[in-house]
Amino acid sequence: MDLGASWIHGVSGNPLTELANAAGAKRLPTSYDSTLSLDATGRRVDLDIPMKKAMGLIASARKNAEGAERDMSLAAAVHASFGWTAAGTADRRMVRHAVNSTVEQEYGGDWSEVSAWHHDDSEEFAGGDVFFPQGFDQVIDFLAVGLDIRRGTTVQGFHRAARGVGVRLADGSTVEADHVVVTLPLGVLRAGSVKFDAPLAARRQRAIDTLRMGLLNKCWLRFDRVAWPGDVDWIEWLGPRDGVWAQWLSLAHSAKLPVLLGFNAGHQAREMEPLDDRAMVASAHEALKAMFGGSFPAPRAAQISRWSQDPLSLGAYSFNAVGVSPATRRDLAGTDWDGRLVFAGEAASDRYFGTAHGAVVSGRTAARLIGT
């Protein structure tokens, strides 16, 4: 199963749709309208009205925050609002669930870190969502046809060279090129594990230092049989701990498979990452038993991501932290070193950050810059 990108979010006009069509990649739809909501005891609940109330409180808090002199976190904005002060325990719990499902799970940043002003400054394509039952890498393999790609070779740094840019590899060799498109994940750029021998433009370095890498982890579980309602795509759980195993995807409906995918994002994902596979699966299984009863079967197999521990990523994708605006991402994108370095990737997309299609759009912009 895909541990990273899995979906095309918004199929209409999305460049990934064009690529998937050309690759002949099979896709299956999922819909947020097909959702089962459960409370901590596993009882079915209708969250339409409570969610609308919670989203109204959040929107009001954001509106008040817009009048502040400085940006603040979404958590700070909500906590300072009259709606939060007047809310009871149940309403506050619903607000936290709304934030987790619409912000933390979406952008990978904890509500104590995301910008109240700009955390959702992204655009969406129209149409529904589809995923790749045979893997997102079908698109990657299609794009790779005819290219000279060297796998398993880590880049250690860049330096100015006679032809343009030299790329130092871990095996001690160097590749020189007229131009280099840098699509390193923001986590790697921030860590400084890949060295730039000459300084980057001040605005670009400032953007790298200001943007933050989010975290969204997946826990795929395969069972011998479907032991949960098989007529829904999504399951949301208001469990005893905010945001822990709160969102699940079921493949029983769309792909006819006995497979569940549990998500954890932001602070909750960081808290759980140190668990080994056995403990992670046990935690997920306990949540499922709370949701569907003590006899819920144990999974027979699992695949688990821990993106903040991956040295080639150091996070899942970028989010707009406090102090970040669309201009910050525009400062990251574009050329450096007299036009020889070109920065691209999801973090360099001011319109579609945090998405695979944002990376594609950004990459195409970088190619045009080189062409000119």
Side-chain angles (χ1 to χ4, degrees):
M1 311 304 295
D2 283 318
L3 294 179
S6 303
W7 279 270
I8 299 178
H9 291 295
V11 296
S12 300
N14 194 312
L16 285 174
T17 298
E18 173 191 351
L19 291 172
N21 288 341
K26 181 180 179 181
R27 283 145 282 168
L28 294 174
T30 61
S31 173
Y32 291 110
D33 292 333
S34 177
T35 298
L36 168 66
S37 301
L38 304 171
D39 68 11
T41 67
R43 181 174 61 92
R44 289 190 182 220
V45 290
D46 185 349
L47 294 183
D48 286 349
I49 293 176
M51 277 290 284
K52 287 179 182 178
K53 183 178 179 180
M55 295 301 293
L57 188 155
I58 296 165
S60 178
R62 291 190 66 187
K63 185 176 181 180
N64 291 336
E66 289 173 0
E69 293 184 0
R70 295 182 180 180
D71 191 12
M72 66 184 74
S73 72
L74 180 59
V78 170
H79 288 156
S81 69
F82 171 79
W84 179 265
T85 302
T89 301
D91 287 339
R92 289 186 175 187
R93 178 68 180 86
M94 199 63 225
V95 168
R96 278 296 296 125
H97 180 75
V99 168
N100 180 258
S101 60
T102 65
V103 177
E104 294 173 334
Q105 299 272 352
E106 182 75 13
Y107 301 104
D110 192 81
W111 77 325
S112 65
E113 301 171 318
V114 301
S115 164
W117 289 357
H118 298 293
H119 71 263
D120 57 354
D121 279 356
S122 58
E123 300 179 23
E124 297 179 352
F125 287 102
D129 295 343
V130 296
F131 78 100
F132 296 83
Q134 296 169 344
F136 200 100
D137 59 347
Q138 294 169 98
V139 174
I140 308 301
D141 291 343
F142 171 77
L143 288 170
V145 172
L147 300 180
D148 176 16
I149 297 178
R150 306 183 187 186
R151 299 174 184 266
T153 302
T154 305
V155 173
Q156 291 190 326
F158 304 98
H159 61 271
R160 292 179 179 269
R163 287 184 53 196
V165 179
V167 183
R168 297 192 307 279
L169 306 179
D171 62 7
S173 64
T174 299
V175 176
E176 292 192 5
D178 294 332
H179 299 85
V180 169
V181 180
V182 180
T183 60
L184 292 168
L186 176 68
V188 174
L189 289 173
R190 284 179 53 82
S193 50
V194 178
K195 305 297 183 183
F196 296 88
D197 284 4
L200 299 175
R203 61 182 176 82
R204 179 160 292 106
Q205 188 61 56
R206 187 165 52 249
I208 293 171
D209 294 339
T210 306
L211 286 162
R212 291 293 185 270
M213 197 66 162
L215 186 58
L216 178 68
N217 278 326
K218 297 180 176 182
C219 178
W220 288 99
L221 302 173
R222 186 180 182 98
F223 299 84
D224 288 318
R225 59 182 176 85
V226 176
W228 58 93
D231 58 349
V232 296
D233 292 327
W234 292 93
I235 302 168
E236 57 181 338
W237 182 47
L238 278 77
R241 298 176 61 198
D242 290 342
V244 177
W245 302 118
Q247 296 286 328
W248 294 82
L249 170 74
S250 168
L251 295 190
H253 184 217
S254 58
K256 312 305 179 188
L257 293 173
V259 173
L260 288 172
L261 167 58
F263 294 91
N264 285 293
H267 170 77
Q268 291 84 354
R270 287 195 295 270
E271 183 181 273
M272 297 187 72
E273 266 202 349
L275 298 179
D276 61 19
D277 284 3
R278 183 185 295 273
M280 187 75 74
V281 171
S283 175
H285 189 211
E286 286 301 312
L288 291 167
K289 287 193 291 185
M291 294 159 64
F292 299 111
S295 62
F296 193 88
R300 59 183 262 193
Q303 285 178 256
I304 299 167
S305 71
R306 295 178 179 83
W307 284 111
S308 75
Q309 299 180 29
D310 185 331
L312 302 183
S313 180
L314 298 176
Y317 43 79
S318 64
F319 68 89
N320 283 356
V322 175
V324 169
S325 72
T328 311
R329 295 183 183 276
R330 292 193 290 271
D331 286 342
L332 175 60
T335 62
D336 216 314
W337 288 10
D338 301 322
R340 297 298 183 176
L341 283 180
V342 187
F343 284 77
E346 63 82 14
S349 175
D350 62 340
R351 298 173 61 191
Y352 307 114
F353 59 88
T355 67
H357 58 258
V360 171
V361 172
S362 175
R364 290 177 173 176
T365 300
R368 288 194 294 271
L369 288 173
I370 291 175
T372 58

